[in-house]
Amino acid sequence: MLNIAVLVSGGGTNLQAIIDAVENGEISNTRICGVISNNQNAYALERAKKHGIKSFCISPKSFLTRAEFNQSFLETVDMLEPDLIVLAGFLVVIPPEMTEKYRNRIINIHPSLIPSFCGTGYYGLKVHEAALSRGVKVVGATVHFVDEGTDTGPIILQKAVDVEQGDTPEVLQRRVMEKAEWKILPRAIDLIANGKVKVEDGKAVILQ
Ligand code: GRF
């Protein structure tokens, strides 16, 4: 059984997709051992409570220094004893100690086809604004392992989504979530839970 800790900052629709997939069996062999938010108003916390999942809030704002936050954050994660940490719209930078300790055991969903529209400053609506202003015709989402860089770790799954005439960043964001994020994040967790993902030469390989 794969114990997963899900880290969130906002609405938690990706968290909901994971909860639903665990409950309906699309994700097998997996238990959500806790949800951690940096934002006490995140609706994601409500979603966790409704499903009887332990939830915690830990914000950098409650600490004098980043080092103190990082230490307490790592302790909170460790306490859950997760096999896998899932960043589902989590907007806090992962401390290097955590990346090191959980090497190839942290995954993130990013709302673009990496390496397009990723890295520092590309989060939330900004990603979709940039895609529209560049005029690309295909966008999408990526699930990847987290390393020391921003959106640089091994890519596990990607799914493309068409841009349509007249799209606004909000409309495009919603389509990318519905057609890509909510599908590939649960799928990636299921693959990992069933031993189907390994990292070789810095690249993730899906075993058949
Ligand atoms: C998603 O677009 C995710 O890719 C991004 O932040 C958003 C989170 O949405 N990193 P939600 O909180 O899962 O609804």
Side-chain angles (χ1 to χ4, degrees), residues 10-15 88-91 108-111 124 128 173 177 181:
T13 60
N14 279 287
L15 168 65
F90 187 61
L91 297 176
N108 179 49
I109 178 81
H110 182 76
H128 307 288
Q173 179 183 50
M177 286 174 138
E181 295 182 40

Side-chain angles (χ1 to χ4, degrees), residues 8-17 44 47 87-91 108-112 122-125 127-128 141-142 173-174 176-177 181-182 185:
V8 296
S9 297
T13 60
N14 279 287
L15 168 65
Q16 190 67 55
R47 296 181 191 270
L87 311 183
F90 187 61
L91 297 176
N108 179 49
I109 178 81
H110 182 76
S112 79
Y122 285 103
Y123 61 90
L125 269 185
V127 175
H128 307 288
T142 302
Q173 179 183 50
R174 181 74 192 181
V176 169
M177 286 174 138
E181 295 182 40
W182 301 344
L185 186 55

Side-chain angles (χ1 to χ4, degrees), residues 28-62:
S28 59
N29 203 25
T30 298
R31 175 180 159 265
I32 304 175
C33 55
V35 168
I36 300 174
S37 172
N38 64 306
N39 167 11
Q40 64 177 13
N41 299 318
Y43 185 66
L45 291 172
E46 296 301 316
R47 296 181 191 270
K49 279 180 205 137
K50 276 186 198 159
H51 290 265
I53 300 165
K54 275 188 286 185
S55 60
F56 306 85
C57 180
I58 176 165
S59 165
K61 289 182 194 148
S62 318

Side-chain angles (χ1 to χ4, degrees), residues 53-102:
I53 300 165
K54 275 188 286 185
S55 60
F56 306 85
C57 180
I58 176 165
S59 165
K61 289 182 194 148
S62 318
F63 295 83
L64 285 176
T65 65
R66 195 66 179 204
E68 285 172 69
F69 164 74
N70 283 350
Q71 193 190 333
S72 185
F73 178 35
L74 186 56
E75 283 168 11
T76 308
V77 168
D78 284 349
M79 181 191 69
L80 294 172
E81 301 186 340
D83 301 306
L84 181 74
I85 299 168
V86 179
L87 311 183
F90 187 61
L91 297 176
V92 175
V93 175
I94 299 302
E97 312 83 56
M98 195 180 290
T99 315
E100 177 69 33
K101 181 163 185 180
Y102 290 91

Side-chain angles (χ1 to χ4, degrees), residues 88-148:
F90 187 61
L91 297 176
V92 175
V93 175
I94 299 302
E97 312 83 56
M98 195 180 290
T99 315
E100 177 69 33
K101 181 163 185 180
Y102 290 91
R103 175 83 49 206
N104 296 332
R105 291 196 291 142
I106 310 177
I107 63 172
N108 179 49
I109 178 81
H110 182 76
S112 79
L113 294 173
I114 291 174
S116 289
F117 309 114
C118 64
T120 308
Y122 285 103
Y123 61 90
L125 269 185
K126 290 176 193 289
V127 175
H128 307 288
E129 284 163 5
L132 289 177
S133 85
R134 183 62 184 84
V136 295
K137 305 299 180 237
V138 177
V139 292
T142 302
V143 181
H144 63 92
F145 284 111
V146 172
D147 65 8
E148 282 73 10

